[in-house]
Amino acid sequence: MMKIAKYVVWNILRSKIILAYTLFLFAVAFGTFSFESDVSKSIASLMSIVLIIIPLVSIIFTTIYFYNSSEFIELLMAQPISRKKIFFGEYLGVGTSMLCAYLIGIALPVIIYSADAVGFTLIASGACLTLVFVSLAFFASVLTRDKAKGIGISLMIWFYFSIIYDAIVLGVMFAFSDYPLERVMVLLSSFNPIDLSRILILLKLDISALMGFTGAVYKDFFGNSNGIIFSIAMQMIWIVLPLFSAFRIFRRKNW
Amino acid sequence: MIKFENLAISFGKLNVLKGINASFDAGKIICIIGPNGSGKTTMIKCLLGMTIPNSGRILFDGKPIVGEELYRKEIGYMPQIGRYPDNMTIGQIIAMMKDLRNEVTQLDETIFEQFQIQAMLQKKMRTLSGGTTQKVSAGLAFLFNPKVLVLDEPTAGLDPSAAEILKQKILKAKQDGKLVLITSHIMSEIDEMADEILYMQEGNVLFHKNIEQLKAETGQTKLGRAILKTINPVVA
């Protein structure tokens, strides 16, 4: 498995796209910290980038990579290597590469400029989101043989978690505004890894007052250690669940 | 050595294999022939575990292969159309396969030498012609000295001298007691090499016979006519 991951990483590094991505993140992170003297404002702007760009690039890059590596997978299939090793070796390789790009591009500047609880929450959330969306990309890629369709599904997944889900939640809030929905909101937000990250970072920035009464409930729930353990557990589920569903399909897939 | 038992596969509504039974022994060259789309490649892909059957099973040395992978140590596979990561060079592909297999067995690099692959190690896979890709595939199939060789249309696309080298190599493998499974459409080549013929049609095995027996039964000296007479006595 490690050997396969090694070849995947080596192959990704050679494509140079990942280097461009790292440089882009680094430039953006460095820029936001240099142009703004208030560090918490920089973190807030960086948060928007982490929540939008990281999931998008992770899911699209991984999907394209998975389809492009079909020759590599086919070559390995005829060897005495189990599908489990091939699949998780691929994940390990892609996951490591994306994570490294993120850590160098975002985490490094954040540590330099804002090495506090807020900074580390941002770093951890972004790292989780990277792995979550790499998992989701694997899931999208095994659903269909057609590369264009696979990328389409990936885009839809990203669109859903970034935009559509929030719209649905807002709709629910309006429709049931006469009822006390605060606890339901906590539950609903844990079904979206991006929302989960956003809440954690905003709570650490201590501007949850801006979120009204729901913000107080969030703070009450996510602000203590149980809430943090819960949200980390939810992020882990978001990494593991799509990945294993993808593996179940991959195991029975014909090549 | 290899046994297919009631192997059936369907892709959606299309029944590609409809309950295949066959068994193959070591030290023989067996040719799988049949019209295009009769299920030859699918049968081979099942043996390699690349395609998963809906029902039935395949035994390798008496053990079912489902969910197993170590049996593939004993199989050298040359695909009909070799697909390789196209930004890697020939040398990198060969080195990677050796690294991934990491085996102590004596490597057999004679094919690479005879095809003069050594001189092309720096070439990227995407720049290769179909024939050169086939040469790389052939070399990889023989590289780890497997007991079974599965060759899907091995000489298609090869130049005549390369095809001859490969044929000699296949005959040599048989003498070494290996089992060779070949699919091919070239009758003269099959006549030259094969011991047994397995004829596939629309996902069924029409017949599986010794080549001499087949010729004797039909009273033909040419393999092509013998086969035609067996599948369609009226035309022949």
Side-chain angles (χ1 to χ4, degrees):
Chain A
M1 200 161 86
M2 294 308 276
K3 267 188 189 168
I4 295 172
K6 182 184 84 185
Y7 283 104
V8 172
V9 171
W10 179 69
N11 209 7
I12 290 179
L13 282 180
R14 274 156 33 109
S15 77
K16 301 198 178 64
I17 292 173
I18 196 103
L19 296 179
Y21 173 57
T22 312
L23 281 178
F24 167 74
L25 291 180
F26 193 80
V28 167
F30 231 80
T32 36
F33 280 118
S34 326
F35 295 139
E36 180 61 65
S37 52
D38 186 354
V39 172
S40 64
K41 274 190 191 167
S42 310
I43 291 278
S45 353
L46 212 50
M47 180 188 81
S48 328
I49 304 216
V50 166
L51 296 183
I52 300 282
I53 304 286
I54 301 278
L56 179 65
V57 176
S58 297
I59 198 166
I60 296 299
F61 178 86
T62 307
T63 310
I64 294 174
Y65 181 80
F66 193 89
Y67 281 99
N68 286 355
S69 68
S70 72
E71 288 100 359
F72 179 62
I73 294 174
E74 198 173 307
L75 191 62
L76 297 183
M77 285 270 182
Q79 306 300 322
I81 301 170
S82 66
R83 288 192 176 204
K84 200 171 167 181
K85 279 188 183 159
I86 298 174
F87 184 82
F88 290 104
E90 284 270 337
Y91 184 79
L92 202 63
V94 182
T96 311
S97 314
M98 294 308 288
L99 211 54
C100 283
Y102 169 76
L103 290 178
I104 297 169
I106 298 283
L108 200 64
V110 170
I111 290 173
I112 294 171
Y113 284 96
S114 161
D116 53 12
V118 188
F120 283 110
T121 312
L122 178 76
I123 292 171
S125 305
C128 283
L129 281 181
T130 302
L131 293 178
V132 166
F133 280 83
V134 172
S135 283
L136 287 169
F138 270 64
F139 181 67
S141 310
V142 295
L143 285 181
T144 166
R145 245 169 208 291
D146 185 346
K147 187 172 170 180
K149 259 192 209 163
I151 295 173
I153 295 171
S154 285
L155 267 178
M156 283 310 294
I157 291 175
W158 175 79
F159 218 66
Y160 174 76
F161 284 127
S162 294
I163 295 159
I164 300 174
Y165 189 86
D166 291 353
I168 295 172
V169 170
L170 270 178
V172 169
M173 275 173 75
F174 268 109
F176 298 96
S177 55
D178 294 342
Y179 301 89
L181 275 179
E182 286 73 21
R183 298 213 159 271
V184 182
M185 291 312 296
V186 170
L187 190 72
L188 280 180
S189 48
S190 54
F191 286 124
N192 183 343
I194 296 181
D195 280 353
L196 211 55
S197 302
R198 181 180 293 130
I199 291 165
L200 283 182
I201 300 169
L202 286 180
L203 285 179
K204 281 277 179 281
L205 275 176
D206 232 7
I207 50 171
S208 55
L210 293 179
M211 293 191 285
F213 186 54
T214 312
V217 176
Y218 279 150
K219 194 165 180 59
D220 186 41
F221 184 82
F222 289 109
N224 60 43
S225 56
N226 281 342
I228 289 173
I229 291 170
F230 169 80
S231 53
I232 291 173
M234 279 312 285
Q235 295 282 39
M236 290 300 138
I237 290 175
W238 274 110
I239 295 172
V240 170
L241 201 68
L243 187 63
F244 277 83
S245 317
F247 176 61
R248 278 175 65 95
I249 300 170
F250 181 81
R251 210 176 44 186
R252 308 263 331 148
K253 208 171 158 69
N254 293 327
W255 288 80
Chain B
M1 187 156 197
I2 295 175
K3 203 167 178 203
F4 289 75
E5 289 181 348
N6 290 317
L7 198 73
I9 288 194
S10 54
F11 297 143
K13 278 180 186 162
L14 188 71
N15 293 319
V16 182
L17 295 181
K18 303 168 185 166
I20 295 231
N21 286 294
S23 77
F24 309 115
D25 299 319
K28 290 218 168 102
I29 298 177
I30 291 138
C31 236
I32 303 170
I33 57 175
N36 303 111
S38 56
K40 304 185 293 289
T41 298
T42 305
M43 189 175 163
I44 282 175
K45 286 199 163 178
C46 281
L47 174 61
L48 289 157
M50 294 166 91
T51 300
I52 291 156
N54 299 90
S55 64
R57 58 180 191 164
I58 301 173
L59 302 176
F60 190 94
D61 275 341
K63 286 192 250 5
I65 63 162
V66 61
E68 291 289 325
E69 72 273 353
L70 289 178
Y71 78 96
R72 286 201 287 270
K73 271 189 180 185
E74 307 295 347
I75 300 183
Y77 171 53
M78 177 176 172
Q80 196 170 28
I81 301 158
R83 301 206 311 142
Y84 299 96
D86 56 9
N87 56 356
M88 288 175 85
T89 64
I90 299 181
Q92 285 166 344
I93 294 267
I94 297 172
M96 180 177 79
M97 295 318 276
K98 286 180 187 168
D99 179 38
L100 285 173
R101 292 282 290 253
N102 195 20
E103 280 167 28
V104 285
T105 49
Q106 186 68 40
L107 294 178
D108 178 359
E109 297 187 84
T110 47
I111 291 252
F112 288 136
E113 285 155 24
Q114 285 171 320
F115 286 160
Q116 285 153 355
I117 295 289
Q118 254 79 3
M120 298 189 282
L121 291 179
Q122 301 304 319
K123 283 198 178 171
K124 294 227 163 160
M125 293 310 289
R126 75 165 151 258
T127 65
L128 301 185
S129 70
T132 315
T133 310
Q134 284 294 85
K135 288 179 185 175
V136 174
S137 298
L140 288 175
F142 283 92
L143 184 61
F144 297 99
N145 234 326
K147 283 200 270 182
V148 177
L149 287 153
V150 179
L151 314 172
D152 202 353
E153 301 200 15
T155 57
L158 287 184
D159 59 73
S161 68
E164 198 52 42
I165 290 172
L166 188 56
K167 270 191 250 173
Q168 294 309 318
K169 186 74 191 164
I170 294 169
L171 289 171
K172 172 82 173 34
K174 176 193 159 184
Q175 282 164 16
D176 294 343
K178 297 174 198 261
L179 165 62
V180 187
L181 286 178
I182 304 180
T183 71
S184 180
H185 293 297
I186 306 164
M187 281 303 153
S188 61
E189 187 179 287
I190 300 167
D191 211 354
E192 223 176 300
M193 297 192 292
D195 298 298
E196 292 171 14
I197 300 265
L198 182 109
Y199 193 95
M200 303 267 301
Q201 198 166 43
E202 288 170 14
N204 290 308
V205 174
L206 207 62
F207 63 81
H208 177 190
K209 281 182 180 155
N210 188 298
I211 217 163
E212 298 308 322
Q213 180 197 351
L214 188 70
K215 283 181 186 168
E217 274 175 16
T218 50
Q220 300 288 340
T221 50
K222 283 239 162 66
L223 180 66
R225 293 200 65 82
I227 290 170
L228 193 59
K229 196 158 184 183
T230 316
I231 57 175
N232 196 343
V234 186
V235 177

